[in-house]
Amino acid sequence: MLVDTEGLENFIDENAIHEIIRTTTQPESARVRDILDKAREAKGLTLEETACLLQAEDPELNEMIFETARAVKRAIYGNRLVLFAPLYVTNECGNNCTYCGFKADNTELDRRTLSPEELQREVRVLEDMGHKRLLLVYGEHPKFGADWIAETVQTVYDTVAEKSGEIRRVNINCAPLDVEGFRKLSDVGIGTYQCFQETYHTKTYAALHPTGHKKHFLWRLHALHRAMEAGIEDVGMGPLLGLYDYRFDILSCLAHAAELEKRFGVGPHTISFPRLEPALNADIAFNPPYPISDMQFKRLVAVLRLSVPYTGLILSTREDRIMRRELLDLGVSQISAGSRTYPGAYTDPNYDRPDVQQFCIGDNRSLEDVIQEIVQNGYIPSWCTACYRLGRTGEHFMELAKKGFIQEFCHPNSLFTFKEYLHDYAGEATRSIGIPLIQNEVDNFPAKRRDLVETRLHRIEEGERDLYL
Ligand code: SAM
Ligand code: SF4
């Protein structure tokens, strides 16, 4: 694949974004209240309004932002929470991102690329835990092209564990491809293509990505355009927080989202907001040049929820249990759980391995432990993949989401997948809290919907699988 940046424009106007930040520092309380009134309507916010909220540091205003975010989150997403696991396929990489344990210059890292058989073994372990949605993660090595990536996706879809069933949606986080390459991923049926810009500040980007394909800022900036051009309707974006001023990178990310919407009629399906985590031989990851405090981070998630109410917000296990718990209420709609961050990790009995992993994770709990906690907090874990499989993706999904579809379809579907989980994978402790939660949700449906949901839950009890609306 040739990296070709000719004719590509930087649609992020750095000066304009810096100017927005400058003119909205310490916003007036009345201004913040007005913006929150608008945010309650769940129609999104402008960059200027978003910048005001990001910089409202007064504790009382913060609490108001949090309250509004909780209300919007609940109104759109209810109490369901989508779960997935990352699966690292290779840690071989030709780039030198200064913050990443997989960088080419890190000679102490044990390099591994899963063979098809090893990949199958990893998938079976994840299937036996109850996972139905995976995010495949790849280093960027010139020897691995789109054909190979597509083959690994196919291997995952083809792997069905005897005990427990199949993976129903494979998302991808790999380096940017050309349109032809993305078409191969589209043809093999990937769900979301995810690519983080890391930082939108070109000077910082250049300093942190000195060699390899990734040094080409514009090639990466246009990756999601190429993916959408190739027919991948769900794309995911995000900055890596800690590399540059988080306000600049979040606003730029939203400008990126707006650019996609202008061009393709739909913005990103998901936004992620990873914070830098310690990684082997990556000093900058231990001492981020622009650290972001926990309070700033929480506010940022709440503000994202208000700024792009219908975009999924993804939280990984980089964050610890307490932070993850708080962010669920403030806006997060998808979390990874039981994650490990190196190739072969799920079949490795000694999985605490800094010599192979990409970065350290903050929440080491098993999938089942995470599920128990979220159920105790009133959330329904969901492995639903109905939209993607029924073609409700991209613009189509967004239109439906705006009409309250998430509550009407996604909510029952989450109950069906949770019921399957309880039946096929959960231990007694999880069942004892999960079954009453499902019953309570069923009781709260209007009568007509309740009958339909109850019938399907009964069919699952009887052994049918993969039912959805
Ligand atoms: N190699 C591909 C790429 O760079 O786009 C995809 C996989 S890469 C492992 C996925 C993401 O991990 C990167 O986009 C980056 O945001 C994140 N990452 C890298 N180093 C990290 C660190 N030390 N802490 C947290 N996240 C990190
Ligand atoms: Fe390689 Fe991606 Fe890590 Fe950069 S972030 S070193 S491209 S794996």
Side-chain angles (χ1 to χ4, degrees), residues 93 95-97 99-100 102-104 138-140 198 214 358:
C93 192
N95 293 328
N96 255 317
C97 311
Y99 44 80
C100 180
F102 293 175
K103 64 182 170 182
Y138 306 76
E140 177 176 17
E198 323 299 11
K214 197 161 163 181
Q358 191 200 6

Side-chain angles (χ1 to χ4, degrees), residues 20 75-76 242:
I20 291 175
I76 297 177

Side-chain angles (χ1 to χ4, degrees), residues 16 18 59 101 108 130 172 208 232 236 267 277 296 299-300 308 325 376 378 382 401 405 411 416 440:
H18 279 302
E108 282 176 51
I172 291 283
L208 299 178
I232 297 172
E277 290 296 328
Q296 289 167 333
R299 190 167 55 229
L300 172 160
V308 282
R325 166 74 197 88
Q376 273 154 354
S382 176
F405 163 95
H411 185 212
F416 303 150
N440 188 45

Side-chain angles (χ1 to χ4, degrees), residues 7-138:
L8 298 184
E9 259 183 68
N10 185 359
F11 46 79
I12 305 293
D13 184 339
E14 293 194 7
N15 291 334
I17 292 195
H18 279 302
E19 188 57 12
I20 291 175
I21 294 172
R22 195 186 65 73
T23 53
T24 51
T25 358
Q26 297 187 341
E28 301 268 321
S29 161
R31 174 84 182 114
V32 172
R33 285 164 204 264
D34 283 349
I35 298 170
L36 291 178
D37 282 344
K38 177 180 172 192
R40 261 179 224 108
E41 293 169 21
K43 292 190 178 137
L45 299 176
T46 65
L47 286 190
E48 196 266 342
E49 290 161 344
T50 306
C52 280
L53 296 189
L54 280 177
Q55 299 186 93
E57 288 181 355
D58 175 78
E60 199 187 327
L61 292 178
N62 264 302
E63 204 30 62
M64 287 174 66
I65 293 172
F66 291 160
E67 268 312 313
T68 316
R70 284 188 198 108
V72 167
K73 158 93 201 281
R74 203 133 272 252
I76 297 177
Y77 297 88
N79 58 347
R80 62 183 256 297
L81 188 63
V82 171
L83 292 175
F84 72 96
L87 197 174
Y88 282 69
V89 185
T90 175
N91 63 9
E92 294 190 73
C93 192
N95 293 328
N96 255 317
C97 311
T98 46
Y99 44 80
C100 180
F102 293 175
K103 64 182 170 182
D105 283 356
N106 186 5
T107 49
E108 282 176 51
L109 191 86
D110 182 10
R111 302 283 168 178
R112 292 184 187 174
T113 295
L114 299 181
S115 67
E117 295 71 31
E118 288 167 334
L119 180 56
Q120 286 177 326
R121 280 203 288 278
E122 292 276 290
V123 173
R124 287 201 188 96
V125 170
L126 288 160
E127 286 172 342
D128 284 347
M129 285 180 205
H131 281 292
K132 301 286 182 214
R133 306 168 63 107
L134 296 185
L135 171 70
L136 301 191
V137 184
Y138 306 76

